[in-house]
């Protein structure tokens, strides 16, 4: 649904001189010293699959917010290619770009951006108003979206009468109202209290299951990334360090930077049995009832510890390995490392 190739965004004098030249190999500090330029996004490439939740994670200053704004040219890229649903974004005319932003892609920001003088219903209907939809039709659609996000009955209130979490739900409803194929989230929950953030993450997951959109989600919060992401991209100083599933990042971090990010994550809460299974020994007797290889280790602990024999691990109807307490305990203690699986 989204394809990004060799994307650069350089701020400073004559930014076009950096990509594809020896200057591109300089560190961020060296580049700034020699040219006065800052490379916020450095030669980034990735794909986002249709109906996937793709999370871009990194520390403050890693370039993630610049990256998401480049996708719809809210910030103009310096070089590289961006495609959304097969169409080249950087080749779009101003008119086509407006259509992309109004109909096909919606953004949800950290600061809700609600219009304080308009009712909740009219805030949700705003994008449809911009599209020229008649008042009755846009109010009907907005009411449906408010019900979807659990705010039915709040249509006539003003944003200031709602809690922060409720305001962000209004922002979600507004983004969904235009029925875009892609939703871009730029740290939408970072201003919320921790408990509300947890509820909003669950809400996004629920909405994704119901409406089936492609979501690209920006965050600096590892727990948020692991909870939401089908796949996660890690940025450092504008460069893409690793792209993978939550399992990939926790089980096989690409470098020490990613390893530091996931160091305190309970591995048994993320990794599945495929990380700790081993090949069965010759003529080894096993339990009768197998476990699927995508079972999270935490969910299999009781069964494995109570078993008197190794438990088969299956991929569909095919046996791919076995698991026993000897393989389980290192994972629970945090000692398991990639490559130990069979």
């Amino acid at each position: 649904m989204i394809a990004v190739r060799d994307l650069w965004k350089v701020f400073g004098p004559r930014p076009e001189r950096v990509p594809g030249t020896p200057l591109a190999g300089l560190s961020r500090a060296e580049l700034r010293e020699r040219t006065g330029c800052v490379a916020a996004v450095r030669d980034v490439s990735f794909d986002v699959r249709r109906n996937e939740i793709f999370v871009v994670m990194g520390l403050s200053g890693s370039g993630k917010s610049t990256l998401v704004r480049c996708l719809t040219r809210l910030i103009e890229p310096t070089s590289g290619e961006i495609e959304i649903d097969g169409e080249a974004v950087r080749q779009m005319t101003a008119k086509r770009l407006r259509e992309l932003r109004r109909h096909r892609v919606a953004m949800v920001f950290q600061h809700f951006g609600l219009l304080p003088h308009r009712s909740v219903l009219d805030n949700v209907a705003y994008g449809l108003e911009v599209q020229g939809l008649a008042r009755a039709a846009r109010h009907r659609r907005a009411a449906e979206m408010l019900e979807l996000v659990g705010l039915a009955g709040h249509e006539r209130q003003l944003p200031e009468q709602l809690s922060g979490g409720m305001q962000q739900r209004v922002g979600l409803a507004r983004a969904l109202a235009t029925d875009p194929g892609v939703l871009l989230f730029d740290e939408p929950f970072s201003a919320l209290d921790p408990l509300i953030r947890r509820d909003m993450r669950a809400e996004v997951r629920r909405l994704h299951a119901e409406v089936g959109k492609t979501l690209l989600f920006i965050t600096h919060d590892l727990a948020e990334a692991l909870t939401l992401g089908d796949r996660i991209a890690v940025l450092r100083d504008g460069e893409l360090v690793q792209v993978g599933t939550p399992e990939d990042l926790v089980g096989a971090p690409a470098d020490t930077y990613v390893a530091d990010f996931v160091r305190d994550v309970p591995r048994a809460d993320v990794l599945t049995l495929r990380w700790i299974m081993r090949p069965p020994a010759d003529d080894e007797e096993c339990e009768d009832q197998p476990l699927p290889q995508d079972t999270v280790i935490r969910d299999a602990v009781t069964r494995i510890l109570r078993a008197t024999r190794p438990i088969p691990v299956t991929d569909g109807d095919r046996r791919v390995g076995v698991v026993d307490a000897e393989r389980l305990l290192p994972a629970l203690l945090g000692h398991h490392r990639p490559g130990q699986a069979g």
Side-chain angles (χ1 to χ4, degrees):
M1 190 66 172
I2 302 173
V4 177
R5 295 288 177 270
D6 309 318
L7 186 67
W8 283 81
K9 177 56 189 178
V10 182
F11 294 98
R14 296 173 51 216
E16 68 283 351
R17 61 184 159 150
V18 176
T21 73
L23 293 173
L26 298 178
S27 70
R28 178 174 281 191
E30 290 171 330
L31 181 66
R32 183 171 56 248
E33 183 178 346
R34 286 185 53 178
T35 68
C37 291
V38 175
V41 177
R42 301 175 64 102
D43 199 21
V44 168
S45 299
F46 61 87
D47 293 317
V48 180
R49 301 162 187 156
R50 193 174 301 274
N51 296 337
E52 178 179 33
I53 300 181
F54 187 89
V55 174
V56 179
M57 184 184 72
L59 299 176
S60 178
S62 62
K64 54 191 185 299
S65 290
T66 300
L67 171 62
V68 75
R69 283 166 168 75
C70 284
L71 298 182
T72 57
R73 290 170 56 192
L74 293 175
I75 293 176
E76 196 67 41
T78 303
S79 68
E81 302 299 328
I82 302 164
E83 289 187 358
I84 294 180
D85 204 14
E87 188 171 0
V89 175
R90 297 197 68 208
Q91 308 306 316
M92 289 181 176
T93 63
K95 179 181 178 182
R96 188 63 179 151
L97 192 57
R98 285 194 299 271
E99 292 175 354
L100 176 78
R101 294 170 181 168
R102 289 179 179 178
H103 298 276
R104 297 164 58 192
V105 178
M107 287 198 70
V108 181
F109 296 99
Q110 173 183 344
H111 302 291
F112 316 132
L114 303 181
L115 302 171
H117 62 288
R118 289 193 171 209
S119 69
V120 166
L121 187 70
D122 281 327
N123 265 282
V124 175
Y126 180 72
L128 300 171
E129 182 180 348
V130 171
Q131 291 180 4
L133 200 65
R135 179 183 176 88
R138 67 177 184 258
H139 277 185
R140 185 165 55 249
R141 172 69 176 173
E144 292 172 357
M145 294 302 99
L146 285 170
E147 183 172 0
L148 183 65
V149 300
L151 287 179
H154 296 275
E155 292 85 356
R156 302 302 170 192
Q157 291 183 276
L158 294 175
E160 65 179 12
Q161 297 174 291
L162 304 180
S163 68
M166 294 172 74
Q167 289 183 40
Q168 194 57 285
R169 287 173 187 261
V170 175
L172 278 173
R174 181 178 57 189
L176 290 167
T178 57
D179 196 25
V182 176
L183 287 167
L184 306 178
F185 293 81
D186 188 8
E187 302 207 57
F189 309 145
S190 59
L192 302 177
D193 293 336
L195 291 179
I196 299 175
R197 291 183 69 165
R198 184 188 63 190
D199 292 343
M200 290 304 300
R201 291 197 292 263
E203 183 72 4
V204 167
R205 266 292 182 189
R206 180 187 70 81
L207 289 172
H208 181 256
E210 290 193 23
V211 301
K213 305 294 183 182
T214 301
L215 273 57
L216 191 148
F217 197 100
I218 302 294
T219 185
H220 65 271
D221 186 304
L222 177 61
E224 198 159 78
L226 294 175
T227 300
L228 287 174
D230 296 318
R231 287 187 301 144
I232 301 168
V234 181
L235 281 184
R236 177 184 57 204
D237 293 338
E239 295 185 78
L240 195 59
V241 178
Q242 183 172 3
V243 178
T245 65
E247 263 194 283
D248 294 331
L249 267 64
V250 172
D255 62 10
T256 55
Y257 180 76
V258 182
D260 284 343
F261 252 120
V262 302
R263 179 178 53 199
D264 296 325
V265 175
R267 303 169 70 81
D269 290 353
V270 179
L271 300 183
T272 59
L273 296 184
R274 70 186 184 91
W275 289 87
I276 63 169
M277 66 186 183
R278 61 168 173 80
D282 292 340
D283 301 323
E284 185 174 28
E285 292 189 8
C286 296
E287 297 286 319
D288 293 331
Q289 294 298 318
L291 286 166
Q293 67 170 357
D294 59 359
T295 303
V296 176
I297 292 172
R298 176 198 60 228
D299 296 335
V301 168
T302 301
R303 170 108 189 267
I304 295 171
L305 292 179
R306 288 178 176 175
T308 57
R309 295 175 295 180
I311 298 175
V313 179
T314 56
D315 179 9
D317 295 330
R318 183 171 61 94
R319 180 182 293 193
V320 292
V322 297
V323 66
D324 54 24
E326 185 178 351
R327 305 291 292 192
L328 171 69
L329 292 176
L332 295 179
L333 296 172
H335 299 154
H336 173 78
R337 291 292 180 265
Q340 290 182 302

